[in-house]
Every structure is written in C-alpha cells, then in structure tokens.
Amino acid sequence: VCVCSKRVFKKTSGNGQLTLYLGKRDYVDHVDSVDAVEGVLKIDPADLGDRKVWIQLACAFRYGREDLDVIGLSFRKDIWIQHIQLYPDAGHKPTLTEMHNTLLQKAGEQGHAFTFNIPTNLPCSVTLQPGPDDKGKACGVDFEVKAYLAKSADDPDEKIDKKDTCRLVIRKIQFAPDNTGSGQKAELCKSFMMSDKPVFLEASLDKEIYYHGDSIPVTLKIKNETNKVVKKIKISSVICLKFSKLCDLHALCRETVEGNATFDKTLSITPLLANNKEKRGLALDGRLKDEDTNLASTTIIRSGMDKEILGILVSYKIKVNLMVSGGG
C-alpha cells in the first residue's frame, strides 16, 4: 500500500515536542466489539526534564455549553478514561498493524505506536445541535485522544500547560446489526361525540432497522365508520432523547377519508439532517470540526449495561395523526 494514498490526521503541540498521528477519526461499534484506536505519537525527548509523555483516550459527557463554565464548576463529566505512558518506555508494546506502520513512516524514528481498546459498554458519540448564537463546545458525548507532558498521569494538583498538549477528537459510531427484525404495528380505535361509531386506524412498518437516508414506508389502514371526514393524515418521524425532548424531524400531510369509507395505502417519509439544520438540541452522530454528520443513531442497549453511563439515549418513533372534521 502506498503511504501517500492514506489520509493522516495530525496535530502538533504548541512547544513542537509532541505530534499526534491518527489514520482515521471514525471508530465503529459493531455491538460485540469496537474498532481499536491505533495511532502514533512523535516525541522529541529534548528538554523534558523530569516530566513524562502520556497519551490518553477519554470519553466525556458535556451537559452544559462550554461558555457557561465558571471557575470551579464545569458542566463536563468523564465517563471513562485510560492513560498510557509512552516515554520513558513503560512497557506499552502494541502489536503493530498496517495502520501503525503507515503512521510510523510518517512520524520517523521518534514515533511511538499506541493502541486503545474501547469498551463495548460506552456510549456512542452524540452532539446536540447548537443554536446559531451558542459558542464553544456543544452538549453531548465525545471521545478525545490527548498527548501531554506531566510528571504523573492524572495528578489534580499538577498544572499542565496548554502548549505541552495536543489532542484530536474522534467519533465512536454505531453500526446496526444485519439481522433486521419484522416491523412494528400499532392500532387505535377512536370514538367521537355525536357519533355512535368510531374511526379505526392501523399503522405498520415493514422492518425494524433503517439506515441514514433510507425512506421509511408506513402502511396505513383506516376504517371511518362515522359520518365525519378525515381531513388530513399527518405522519411524523420523531427523535426521542433520554431526557424526554421530542423533536419532529419530518412531517407528511396528505389525503382525506370520507365518512363511511376506508383507506389502505403506504406513504413514505425520509428523516434527514439536511431538512433540520436550524433545530437546536437535535441529536447528531457526533460532529468533527468542519465535517458534516448524520442524525444520531439509535442507542443499542445490551444486557447488563448501566444506562447511567450512556449519557444520552436516542430512539426514534413514527407518529400518525388523523385530523377529523368537527372531532379533533
């Protein structure tokens, strides 16, 4: 493989002593395993003194905007963090992969390879879409690889100068399993005042899992036994977050059903971020600088997982409303 054909992400510390190399920034959660974070840190050992060189991977939940942080109070909680001492050598010898070898060629003789294995019980990267006037880092769950100079890995009393660090944000993204199950079905029978007969509604989906950009066909069966007219059928795709914030992503309104008539038809709806760029608080699949993203993937909860460490739970539902004349 030609080295120059590989895209490399690189960040250098302000003092020029540390340069971090990663071959990618998206790491896939395959449900039973997660892609390993393989990188290289180039270290200039001159003028280190009694300080050591550390590399860390941290998963954090930011539940308040960065510009709201005040002295002694941060709206950020570390969910998981791991440190590795790279210099002086402390015994971290990862099995070298093709990715490592490519990055080591870029870094040269001062390159030191490292590998982080992300636990499967950690949440995926989620960013809540900021408003137009919001500043600083947005709320959500993020992963960050950080290299720094310090005497110890995490001494709270040791101040680490910003020029002695370099960092790259990465994303842990969800990959849906291939075993797509059958779709769900919901039924409703609604009676109205001044009418002795009801309206029956049945809505169903053809499968359980849809991918980003997929059109979602919704099959509707309506039996209107009243003398009222169903003036409008509204189908909405709704994103639901752990803290019960609901947001309509897309709505489809069409068709009427006359009194004492039936309706059996499949209508399609396609929820896309492109149509919801202005909605503040919308959950996204993590956002890297200057790169676009998707609507957040559904959180897959495995047995035995602690929901409290997941930060933000994301799910989706399809909502169907019938607007009936004189009946609501």
Side-chain angles (χ1 to χ4, degrees):
V1 178
C2 178
V3 174
C4 63
S5 67
K6 297 273 188 181
R7 184 179 181 185
V8 173
F9 298 93
K10 172 183 172 182
K11 199 65 175 286
T12 302
S13 62
N15 61 17
Q17 290 183 281
L18 306 175
T19 303
L20 177 60
Y21 295 86
L22 293 176
K24 61 179 183 178
R25 298 181 77 176
D26 285 343
Y27 297 85
V28 179
D29 183 343
H30 301 276
V31 181
D32 56 352
S33 65
V34 184
D35 291 350
V37 180
E38 299 167 346
V40 166
L41 183 65
K42 181 180 179 181
I43 302 172
D44 180 359
D47 301 324
L48 290 183
D50 58 351
R51 295 178 300 175
K52 301 172 183 177
V53 178
W54 305 87
I55 188 83
Q56 77 170 33
L57 174 60
C59 171
F61 176 35
R62 174 170 287 279
Y63 48 92
R65 298 202 315 270
E66 190 177 37
D67 58 323
L68 296 178
D69 288 0
V70 294
I71 296 175
L73 178 64
S74 174
F75 295 94
R76 183 181 184 276
K77 176 185 177 183
D78 286 331
I79 298 174
W80 176 87
I81 189 167
Q82 183 178 356
H83 307 87
I84 298 173
Q85 181 181 320
L86 289 183
Y87 189 90
D89 184 7
H92 180 69
K93 300 291 183 183
T95 301
L96 295 183
T97 63
E98 180 186 348
M99 178 69 75
H100 282 130
N101 291 329
T102 297
L103 299 176
L104 285 169
Q105 291 182 50
K106 287 282 188 181
E109 295 180 357
Q110 295 180 323
H112 295 70
F114 63 86
T115 297
F116 286 106
N117 294 307
I118 303 176
T120 56
N121 66 334
L122 293 182
C124 289
S125 299
V126 178
T127 298
L128 299 187
Q129 184 162 260
D133 299 324
D134 293 341
K135 298 178 181 178
K137 289 185 178 180
C139 298
V141 175
D142 63 47
F143 288 78
E144 182 183 74
V145 181
K146 173 184 171 184
Y148 59 99
L149 303 178
K151 294 179 181 180
S152 63
D154 56 353
D155 183 356
D157 296 325
E158 182 178 8
K159 184 178 180 180
I160 301 174
D161 200 311
K162 188 175 181 180
K163 67 180 178 59
D164 295 331
T165 66
C166 57
R167 61 188 74 198
L168 283 171
V169 175
I170 63 174
R171 283 191 299 199
K172 176 174 175 279
I173 56 178
Q174 185 72 64
F175 185 79
D178 294 329
N179 54 337
T180 300
S182 57
Q184 298 186 40
K185 181 173 71 172
E187 299 174 332
L188 178 68
C189 178
K190 175 71 173 178
S191 298
F192 299 92
M193 292 182 62
M194 309 300 292
S195 177
D196 58 348
K197 292 187 177 181
V199 173
F200 294 95
L201 167 64
E202 177 187 296
S204 60
L205 302 176
D206 62 338
K207 59 182 180 179
E208 184 181 24
I209 295 175
Y210 296 88
Y211 295 91
H212 295 298
D214 281 358
S215 179
I216 302 175
V218 184
T219 299
L220 300 179
K221 294 182 179 180
I222 302 171
K223 186 178 181 182
N224 183 8
E225 295 185 349
T226 72
N227 56 4
K228 301 176 183 293
V229 177
V230 177
K231 299 187 298 181
K232 184 168 62 175
I233 301 171
K234 178 182 178 182
I235 304 176
S236 305
S237 54
V238 182
I239 184 170
C240 313
L241 303 184
K242 180 179 179 180
F243 39 86
S244 301
K245 181 179 179 64
L246 303 180
C247 186
D248 282 3
L249 299 174
H250 188 67
L252 184 69
C253 302
R254 60 172 67 174
E255 311 291 350
T256 60
V257 184
E258 298 296 327
N260 299 301
T262 59
F263 178 90
D264 190 340
K265 196 169 184 179
T266 298
L267 305 176
S268 293
I269 188 169
T270 307
L272 294 171
L273 175 59
N275 303 328
N276 296 276
K277 295 262 188 183
E278 304 303 317
K279 290 186 177 178
R280 185 174 184 266
L282 194 63
L284 312 177
D285 251 349
R287 172 169 281 168
L288 301 176
K289 187 178 180 181
D290 301 326
E291 292 188 24
D292 213 341
T293 182
N294 299 299
L295 296 170
S297 301
T298 299
T299 304
I300 297 179
I301 301 178
R302 308 168 187 81
S303 59
M305 291 183 70
D306 182 2
K307 294 183 180 180
E308 293 305 313
I309 74 166
L310 291 180
I312 299 175
L313 301 182
V314 180
S315 61
Y316 292 83
K317 68 179 180 180
I318 295 294
K319 184 171 65 175
V320 181
N321 294 87
L322 304 184
M323 311 302 177
V324 181
S325 61

